[in-house]
Amino acid sequence: MGPPDTDYENGLFTAVLTFPTDYPLNPPKMKFLSEMFHPNVYPNGEVCISILHPPGDDPNHYESSVERWSPVQSVEKILLSVVSMLSEPNIESPANIEAARMWRDNKKQFRDKVHRTVRKSLELEDEI
């Protein structure tokens, strides 16, 4: 369910976590099956947040190693990170350029699109 006091509030978004064979040494992947419009979610639904990035140093030098996956992370921590992501997108490293641009340049348009996505998740609207 979309977190309270966010544009995603009350939305019902289905996602899957896929665990690699070498889990917990490497992170699972998370993908929304429901339509999701967010700067840190690729158009295909894949979630892009630091905690789900492989452990170690970031080859792009954007994230510190402590922000990335470690075997001590839990599924609960992943879910909390995703809820936090919905509340506060990181538009400096977007997975969805259109969503990041809209968030930065036209918050009303962004919110309108997200609200349509929420309505669709509740089967109150057929198309976005």
Side-chain angles (χ1 to χ4, degrees):
M1 183 173 266
D5 301 321
T6 71
D7 294 323
Y8 301 91
E9 184 172 22
N10 297 322
L12 295 173
F13 303 103
T14 304
V16 293
L17 279 170
T18 305
F19 293 85
T21 56
D22 61 352
Y23 176 84
L25 298 177
N26 277 298
K29 293 186 184 300
M30 184 173 192
K31 182 176 183 177
F32 281 100
L33 302 179
S34 303
E35 190 163 339
M36 175 57 69
F37 186 73
H38 188 279
N40 305 118
V41 177
Y42 288 101
N44 71 357
E46 289 181 35
V47 175
C48 181
I49 56 175
S50 299
I51 193 173
L52 295 177
H53 293 162
D57 293 330
D58 178 8
N60 298 316
H61 307 289
Y62 178 76
E63 303 165 329
S64 73
S65 60
V66 298
E67 296 174 294
R68 296 166 68 90
W69 179 258
S70 79
V72 300
Q73 304 293 8
S74 65
V75 170
E76 180 182 22
K77 176 80 188 261
I78 294 168
L79 297 176
L80 289 171
S81 294
V82 171
V83 168
S84 177
M85 172 200 80
L86 291 175
S87 301
E88 299 176 29
N90 175 2
I91 63 167
E92 293 179 25
S93 179
N96 184 324
I97 303 297
E98 177 192 4
R101 196 173 292 134
M102 202 180 289
W103 168 268
R104 184 189 65 223
D105 298 339
N106 191 337
K107 285 262 178 64
K108 182 185 180 330
Q109 184 182 15
F110 177 85
R111 287 186 175 117
D112 289 347
K113 184 158 183 150
V114 169
H115 291 161
R116 285 192 303 273
T117 304
V118 168
R119 289 180 56 79
K120 187 173 183 182
S121 79
L122 299 170
E123 298 180 0
L124 298 173
E125 195 166 301
D126 291 330
E127 294 183 23
I128 294 185

